[in-house]
Amino acid sequence: MKWYELSLIGITLVCAFYLRYQLYKIVEIDAGSRGLKRPRLWAFVASGQENARGLIPYLIVRRKYVSTISASEQQIINERKRKAGIGIIGMLLFGLITLAILIFNYL
């Protein structure tokens, strides 16, 4: 592999981890505002699984709790959503570029 292929793969992975971190922080704030026990554990489970296997149980459990989120926490969540969107766009963009380069070079 050439240096630019490895760097594009690295950038794609950084974007994926950035997206996962933003999801972790969003779930942590949301779980804390709803009064769930161990919001960090819920955040870890929700953001750590592939194919949203951890996020789906969290979304089911959180429905039983009323949200008491403050305006400042909601503003932080909205900012983190925007950052997560940037992570998604970066991951898709660099992933597609990497895939196109790898297909072009090796087929």
Side-chain angles (χ1 to χ4, degrees):
M1 290 195 132
K2 297 180 174 97
W3 66 271
Y4 59 87
E5 294 168 350
L6 291 174
S7 63
L8 285 171
I9 291 171
I11 292 170
T12 304
L13 289 175
V14 167
C15 290
F17 285 119
Y18 182 72
L19 172 62
R20 192 167 279 189
Y21 175 74
Q22 295 302 329
L23 180 62
Y24 172 86
K25 295 306 278 184
I26 289 170
V27 172
E28 182 182 20
I29 293 169
D30 184 63
S33 73
R34 291 178 183 273
L36 272 77
K37 292 181 181 179
R38 300 183 180 178
R40 288 185 180 176
L41 178 64
W42 278 110
F44 179 75
V45 169
S47 66
Q49 300 289 327
E50 294 294 326
N51 299 327
R53 283 187 223 156
L55 187 59
I56 292 172
Y58 170 72
L59 292 174
I60 292 170
V61 168
R62 79 188 274 265
R63 293 174 57 188
K64 298 176 186 176
Y65 296 88
V66 177
S67 179
T68 58
I69 195 162
S70 67
S72 63
E73 288 177 330
Q74 185 62 45
Q75 187 177 14
I76 292 170
I77 286 177
N78 289 337
E79 181 67 24
R80 293 214 178 262
K81 285 179 185 178
R82 188 186 65 77
K83 290 178 181 179
I86 292 170
I88 289 171
I89 291 169
M91 187 175 63
L92 289 174
L93 179 68
F94 287 110
L96 289 174
I97 291 171
T98 304
L99 184 64
I101 289 174
L102 290 175
I103 288 172
F104 180 72
N105 285 341
Y106 296 107
L107 285 184

